[in-house]
Amino acid sequence: MTLSMLFQSSEEGLQTQDVIIQLVYMLSAFMFILGIKRMSGVKTAMNGARLAALAMFLSVAATLIFVWGHGGLVLILIGVLIGAAVGGTMALRVP
């Protein structure tokens, strides 16, 4: 499976699941930006961090649902393994 196959839409146009996933991406982007803005104040920083974390969770969940429906779980697994290897190596090098 190639990346171009993963992101092609069906001949019928956008399906309901694709539209919902795009709306979740838009909502999570808005929430993430609002969360970052709220992190600038001392009183609202904790709520801003929670909002940004929830936004990232929604984005990751929507991506996994999208990839699950299009058969690209191998790509996600490869990305997780590479990220874990790089992150683990960098964490061990921190003094």
Side-chain angles (χ1 to χ4, degrees), residues 5-25:
M5 290 171 56
L6 183 64
F7 295 108
Q8 286 179 346
S9 62
S10 66
E11 294 177 10
E12 303 164 359
L14 290 176
Q15 296 182 2
T16 304
Q17 181 182 7
D18 295 333
V19 172
I20 291 171
I21 289 173
Q22 292 299 318
L23 290 174
V24 170
Y25 282 149

Side-chain angles (χ1 to χ4, degrees), residues 32-54:
F32 188 71
I33 292 168
L34 185 63
I36 289 176
K37 181 177 180 356
R38 292 182 61 88
M39 280 192 261
S40 65
V42 175
K43 294 180 181 179
T44 60
M46 189 175 291
N47 287 334
R50 287 183 184 141
L51 186 62
L54 178 62

Side-chain angles (χ1 to χ4, degrees), residues 82-95:
I82 291 171
V86 170
T89 303
M90 292 178 72
L92 291 174
R93 293 184 181 180
V94 174

Side-chain angles (χ1 to χ4, degrees), residues 45-75:
M46 189 175 291
N47 287 334
R50 287 183 184 141
L51 186 62
L54 178 62
M56 294 308 296
F57 173 77
L58 287 174
S59 295
V60 169
T63 301
L64 289 175
I65 291 169
F66 174 77
V67 171
W68 185 281
H70 291 85
L73 286 179
V74 173
L75 292 174

